[in-house]
Amino acid sequence: MAENPDNPIDEEIERSTGMTRDEAILAQQDRIQKEVEDTNPLVSERLPLVVLKEEYQADPVYSKKIEDMYASFPYIRKTRGDGNCFFRAFGFAYMEKLLTDKAELHRFKETIEKSKDTLIALGFPSFTLMDFYDTFMEVVNQIEEKPSLSELLATFCDQGMSDYLVVYLRLLTSAELQKEADFYQNFFEGNRTVKEFCSQEVEPMYKESDHIHIIALTSSLGVGVRVVYLDRGENQRANHHDFPEGMPPQIVLLYRPGHYDILYGE
């Protein structure tokens, strides 16, 4: 928005802040973002599910469904709502499982080791890919050599490390979509190709995820995920869906409009 020198509001903003209207708006946006970062860690500690009900205490539809969830999932671990929440929630929940499942860790490590060559074969430049791959493998090796929940949480709450892990999960999702393009093309409306979708909606950071991202990532890694949906459907119970089809879930995520968190049983 261009400043209007004759607009008294613009004049007052500049007089009181020393900034133009656009500069003041950007500064306010930065302050809001900083407040979000200060009050919402990338991945939280495990919390009782009652904290979710407190968020929706004035919402009878959501409150009822959250009450129904108590018996199966008494705990939640929140993620920051920055557009990367699905990948961050998936990555943390699954790696947390690997802390105590050596057989699954071994299988997963082999899968990731092979993924680098797959990505390069699809045209991803190795000179940029290797940084993300090496960081991802560093965390996997750390889980194998010294499994520690506190260290895993610290890793996922470190912006730099955590974002590198998210990037690699995004690249794995993109690779699966492109490898199976004939199948996934059926999910798209219009003339957008799978490669265009990946470059616009999968690979960039802060892009929110939909069913197709979940199907592709879980199919690529062979990891079963149950997604519980907190929605406004007439059913008083929260519905769920397992990805990929036919695979028993190893982790459980909660979806509420535009956001993913992690759910835990006893």
Side-chain angles (χ1 to χ4, degrees):
M1 180 187 301
E3 298 85 27
N4 179 358
D6 298 323
N7 188 328
I9 296 178
D10 287 342
E11 293 176 356
E12 177 61 28
I13 290 173
E14 189 160 4
R15 184 166 52 251
S16 61
T17 67
M19 296 183 289
T20 66
R21 177 193 287 266
D22 287 349
E23 290 172 338
I25 290 173
L26 290 173
Q28 182 183 36
Q29 290 173 339
D30 288 342
R31 286 195 298 272
I32 292 171
Q33 180 63 29
K34 184 65 165 59
E35 289 175 5
V36 169
E37 293 174 358
D38 289 344
T39 57
N40 297 279
L42 291 170
V43 180
S44 78
E45 297 285 350
R46 192 162 79 157
L47 306 167
L49 190 64
V50 68
V51 300
L52 187 63
K53 186 176 181 182
E54 290 172 355
E55 287 185 42
Y56 295 105
Q57 57 186 344
D59 189 319
V61 175
Y62 280 1
S63 293
K64 183 65 177 178
K65 293 189 176 185
I66 294 168
E67 285 179 7
D68 178 69
M69 291 163 53
Y70 281 164
S72 300
F73 307 109
Y75 300 102
I76 187 172
R77 193 186 294 273
K78 294 185 176 183
T79 62
R80 185 184 297 169
D82 60 0
N84 297 312
C85 55
F86 163 68
F87 290 102
R88 215 173 313 266
F90 172 92
F92 183 88
Y94 182 61
M95 288 187 178
E96 183 179 14
K97 172 184 169 54
L98 297 182
L99 292 171
T100 56
D101 190 334
K102 298 301 182 184
E104 181 68 7
L105 173 59
H106 180 72
R107 184 200 69 80
F108 180 66
K109 185 175 180 180
E110 288 187 342
T111 299
I112 296 301
E113 287 172 342
K114 295 174 183 175
S115 67
K116 174 184 63 175
D117 293 337
T118 299
L119 288 165
I120 292 174
L122 286 168
F124 291 94
S126 59
F127 64 91
T128 54
L129 171 67
M130 288 307 299
D131 283 344
F132 301 113
Y133 170 80
D134 288 343
T135 299
F136 201 94
M137 284 304 301
E138 178 185 335
V139 176
V140 173
N141 288 330
Q142 179 67 26
I143 292 172
E144 183 177 41
E145 296 164 8
K146 187 182 176 183
S148 167
L149 178 57
S150 61
E151 289 190 17
L152 182 65
L153 183 59
T155 295
F156 270 84
C157 286
D158 178 282
Q159 186 80 57
M161 288 288 290
S162 193
D163 284 354
Y164 264 51
L165 299 178
V166 168
V167 168
Y168 202 71
L169 290 174
R170 285 184 175 276
L171 295 179
L172 293 175
T173 304
S174 177
E176 174 67 15
L177 288 166
Q178 294 182 59
K179 282 193 305 176
E180 305 297 333
D182 289 344
F183 170 72
Y184 288 109
Q185 187 67 56
N186 298 318
F187 289 81
F188 303 141
E189 297 179 357
N191 298 320
R192 185 158 55 168
T193 66
V194 170
K195 191 168 185 63
E196 288 171 340
F197 178 82
C198 289
S199 65
Q200 296 165 5
E201 305 294 340
V202 180
E203 295 165 20
M205 290 289 279
Y206 312 114
K207 284 287 188 175
E208 294 186 359
S209 302
D210 206 341
H211 279 63
I212 193 168
H213 299 72
I214 306 176
I215 295 169
L217 183 60
T218 56
S219 298
S220 170
L221 297 179
V223 177
V225 176
R226 172 163 293 175
V227 178
V228 177
Y229 295 93
L230 188 58
D231 56 30
R232 297 198 173 279
E234 294 182 2
N235 191 343
Q236 291 188 346
R237 305 192 66 180
N239 295 317
H240 70 264
H241 188 83
D242 294 342
F243 301 89
E245 292 283 354
M247 180 172 287
Q250 295 164 278
I251 60 175
V252 182
L253 303 182
L254 172 67
Y255 175 79
R256 40 187 167 142
H259 187 67
Y260 292 87
D261 291 310
I262 306 168
L263 290 177
Y264 297 87
E266 290 289 356

